[in-house]
Amino acid sequence: MSLAAERMGRILPSQTIAITQKARALKAEGRDIISLSAGEPDFDTPDFIKKAAIEAIQRGETKYTDVAGTPALRKAVAERLNADFGLDYRPEEVCVSTGGKQVIYNAMVATLNAGDEVVIPAPAWVSYPDIVQLADGKPVIVPTSPEAGFRLTAEQLRKAITPRTRWLVLNSPCNPTGSAYSREELKALTDVLLEHPQVWILTDDIYAKLTYEGREACTVVQVEPRLRERTLTMNGVSKAYAMTGWRIGFSAAPVSLTKELIKLQGQSTSNACSIAQAAALAAVSGPQDFIGEMVAVYQKRRDLVVDALSAVPGLSCARPEGAFYVFVSVQQLLGKRTAGGHVLESDEDFVKAMLEEVGVAAVHGTAFLLPGYFRVSYATSTELLEEACRRIARFCEGLV
Ligand code: GLU
């Protein structure tokens, strides 16, 4: 008899985490590795945020909080979302969780019955389909195309929805492509959603503050307030405030859903770490100008990576509107042999050989449900990015 439950057979280990851990382990062994695999800012958490956490410890804020988060943080999160997107969330509609991942997990486990469908445009972040499957749901993957800027079209959405559809998961700017929906593009989707009252929308806005050329990031409820009663607006401090390790994500959703999320969380992890909550409170209610400074740096790095990799024969990529990823096509290089003798039959072969032969770690497109690509995270120093791009070029130029 197998140790693992049947549901464990439905999921794979998170590939973003697996590859990042592998790169970390190789580095610890002394190998010269540049990791472009982790979706995590290289910036340190700002000092005023760290100070807030230290002061919370000193004040003795080391005890349980309300399951949904401290009243101060729930209020501050509602105010942040309202100020950023012109929304009208109330504190009782906010639930603070241990990272954005737990928000999604809670939402799916709390709402899906066996066989309920969740529409996920691909490429998509590795964990969405697996979380849906753990919750007994059925991911309905809708592949988008580079020609459409990796954006779901209204026509595709209309075709994907069935009477069993419970959720659409939207992620803009998107991990792994960096594509962001404009207001008009989002409106085309929300018009379709208005016709299907059984469908809820989970909008993962974790990268919303990271958009380039002054482009506006917009969210579902802002574009279509009539969908407010069936939308879960998800966000968190990990990416915009360089706070991945603190593990604070949050949802804003109607009280009917929020109550279920709190009930589930109360029977699993209870409140997110009290000290991390104090830090998150400082982050969302403190000065926000450092985010603009980080965004300016990310934009330069994006251009560096896109320019360098587009110049490599056989590679191609678009210039993304947001997040800190570039999704690079390797389709023209599949079937070739590397200088080290590996035959590249798939994008996974490509990233494995690249790691082994030139020490650059990246995540293959198949992990994000679109084969033939690899994802570069450019949330790393300019010097390392320049060196990584040189190595990738050398690797590709050595293919025969
Ligand atoms: N979201 C990040 C990534 O895509 C962090 C790792 C993870 O949780 O998947 O790399």
Side-chain angles (χ1 to χ4, degrees):
M1 207 178 106
S2 151
L3 164 70
E6 181 270 322
R7 75 176 71 82
M8 294 305 288
R10 300 178 211 153
I11 63 166
L12 288 172
S14 161
Q15 291 299 296
T16 44
I17 293 179
I19 295 172
T20 303
Q21 280 184 193
K22 177 154 191 215
R24 207 179 285 138
L26 289 173
K27 243 193 244 177
E29 279 171 20
R31 290 269 312 267
D32 172 19
I33 303 292
I34 303 178
S35 179
L36 307 182
S37 54
E40 117 166 304
D42 60 315
F43 294 104
D44 196 6
T45 302
D47 276 340
F48 76 93
I49 299 175
K50 290 182 183 172
K51 196 160 160 265
I54 293 164
E55 286 169 2
I57 296 174
Q58 285 163 343
R59 278 196 307 272
E61 289 177 24
T62 55
K63 302 285 172 26
Y64 293 132
T65 71
D66 290 351
V67 169
T70 62
L73 180 56
R74 292 174 83 190
K75 179 168 176 282
V77 165
E79 285 169 0
R80 179 82 269 138
L81 294 174
N82 295 347
D84 287 348
F85 300 106
L87 305 175
D88 63 349
Y89 283 117
R90 303 186 308 274
E92 62 269 29
E93 293 175 297
V94 171
C95 179
V96 178
S97 298
T98 302
K101 212 174 243 173
Q102 194 186 17
V103 173
I104 302 164
Y105 187 88
N106 283 349
M108 295 303 140
V109 172
T111 61
L112 293 180
N113 288 313
D116 283 347
E117 295 173 5
V118 178
V119 175
I120 304 173
W125 178 50
V126 293
S127 293
Y128 297 140
D130 291 53
I131 291 174
V132 168
Q133 300 202 79
L134 276 178
D136 296 336
K138 182 177 159 212
V140 174
I141 308 300
V142 184
T144 63
S145 67
E147 295 74 35
F150 294 115
R151 282 181 274 265
L152 182 70
T153 64
E155 204 38 49
Q156 285 180 308
L157 176 59
R158 191 169 281 119
K159 279 203 195 124
I161 292 175
T162 74
R164 290 301 304 266
T165 310
R166 287 301 302 274
W167 289 95
L168 163 69
V169 177
L170 274 181
N171 175 215
S172 172
C174 168
N175 174 4
T177 62
S179 286
Y181 290 85
S182 68
R183 244 170 216 262
E184 295 67 36
E185 285 157 347
L186 208 48
K187 185 75 180 66
L189 299 181
T190 59
D191 283 350
V192 174
L193 292 161
L194 283 174
E195 296 163 19
H196 300 279
Q198 80 280 20
V199 182
W200 280 64
I201 305 97
L202 190 157
T203 168
D204 177 348
D205 299 340
I206 197 93
Y207 298 99
K209 286 185 186 288
L210 309 182
T211 56
Y212 306 116
E213 276 105 24
R215 195 185 171 103
E216 175 202 40
C218 42
T219 191
V220 171
V221 179
Q222 174 191 30
V223 168
E224 182 46 86
R226 283 177 290 174
L227 290 175
R228 187 190 192 290
E229 287 316 303
R230 48 188 170 103
T231 298
L232 183 156
T233 301
M234 191 216 112
N235 216 314
V237 294
S238 292
K239 315 292 181 180
Y241 301 90
M243 291 177 69
T244 47
W246 300 80
R247 310 308 302 132
I248 296 288
F250 34 79
S251 55
V255 168
S256 57
L257 174 61
T258 300
K259 268 191 186 155
E260 301 301 327
L261 303 179
I262 298 171
K263 183 170 153 192
L264 179 61
Q265 192 164 297
Q267 292 290 25
S268 53
T269 56
S270 294
N271 60 274
C273 166
S274 60
I275 299 150
Q277 287 191 58
L281 174 61
V284 299
S285 55
Q288 304 286 301
D289 34 323
F290 68 92
I291 299 174
E293 290 159 25
M294 287 196 307
V295 166
V297 174
Y298 284 141
Q299 185 174 317
K300 281 201 192 120
R301 293 174 178 176
R302 174 200 64 169
D303 291 339
L304 182 165
V305 171
V306 169
D307 292 343
L309 297 187
S310 305
V312 177
L315 296 183
S316 59
C317 57
R319 199 172 299 269
E321 293 93 21
F324 38 58
Y325 305 112
V326 176
F327 204 51
V328 188
S329 168
V330 294
Q331 283 157 52
Q332 290 179 47
L333 300 179
L334 296 183
K336 294 190 185 275
R337 185 183 295 271
T338 68
H342 295 99
V343 178
L344 303 180
E345 267 157 22
S346 65
D347 52 7
E348 190 166 6
D349 293 342
F350 187 95
V351 295
K352 277 188 178 154
M354 188 163 76
L355 179 59
E356 197 169 303
E357 296 184 25
V358 294
V360 175
V363 185
H364 49 299
T366 303
F368 303 101
L369 309 167
L370 198 69
Y373 292 81
F374 68 92
R375 184 193 79 172
V376 161
S377 164
Y378 54 83
T380 198
S381 77
T382 306
E383 297 69 40
L384 282 178
L385 282 174
E386 280 169 347
E387 172 59 15
C389 290
R390 275 195 292 273
R391 293 187 192 186
I392 296 172
R394 195 168 77 229
F395 176 73
C396 294
E397 279 153 17
L399 298 175
V400 286

